[in-house]
């Protein structure tokens, strides 16, 4: 399943991308789609199943499942920066 993770900072996106690569995925950093909003404007598109226990980062905002042109919220970080 294709997913998109949004972040509060670019650093968070870079760290998440590294985590995905270490788990064997081929993540892609890209601008956040207009239908979604994020503080830093950068997101990571990835394929591996999202696991909040091992993939969360303090700068992670939300994770969405991609279904064509629609997005379904899978995870939202409740922690405030």
């Amino acid at each position: 399943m294709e997913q998109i993770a949004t972040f509060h900072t670019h650093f968070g996106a870079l760290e998440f991308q590294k985590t995905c690569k270490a788990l064997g995925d081929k993540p892609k950093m890209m601008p956040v789609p207009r239908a979604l909003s994020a503080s830093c404007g950068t997101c990571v598109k990835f394929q591996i199943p999202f696991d909040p226990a091992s993939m969360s980062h303090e700068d992670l905002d939300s994770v969405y499942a991609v279904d064509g042109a629609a997005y379904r919220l899978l995870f939202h970080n409740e922690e405030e920066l």
Side-chain angles (χ1 to χ4, degrees):
M1 168 176 48
E2 193 169 81
Q3 299 159 91
I4 289 179
T6 61
F7 303 88
H8 296 289
T9 67
H10 294 288
F11 177 76
L14 287 168
E15 289 296 307
F16 188 85
Q17 181 185 34
K18 287 180 190 177
T19 299
C20 289
K21 282 183 180 179
L23 294 171
D25 199 6
K26 294 181 180 179
K28 178 182 176 186
M29 287 186 64
M30 55 187 258
V32 176
R34 289 182 189 242
L36 307 176
S37 65
S39 298
C40 77
T42 302
C43 69
V44 176
K45 187 182 279 190
F46 62 103
Q47 297 284 328
I48 58 175
F50 176 72
D51 175 22
S54 65
M55 297 174 76
S56 283
H57 185 277
E58 65 184 18
D59 289 335
L60 177 65
D61 179 38
S62 299
V63 176
Y64 298 88
V66 179
D67 184 19
Y71 303 97
R72 180 174 40 91
L73 182 65
L74 299 175
F75 173 83
H76 179 70
N77 189 353
E78 298 296 327
E79 290 184 30
E80 293 293 323
L81 291 181

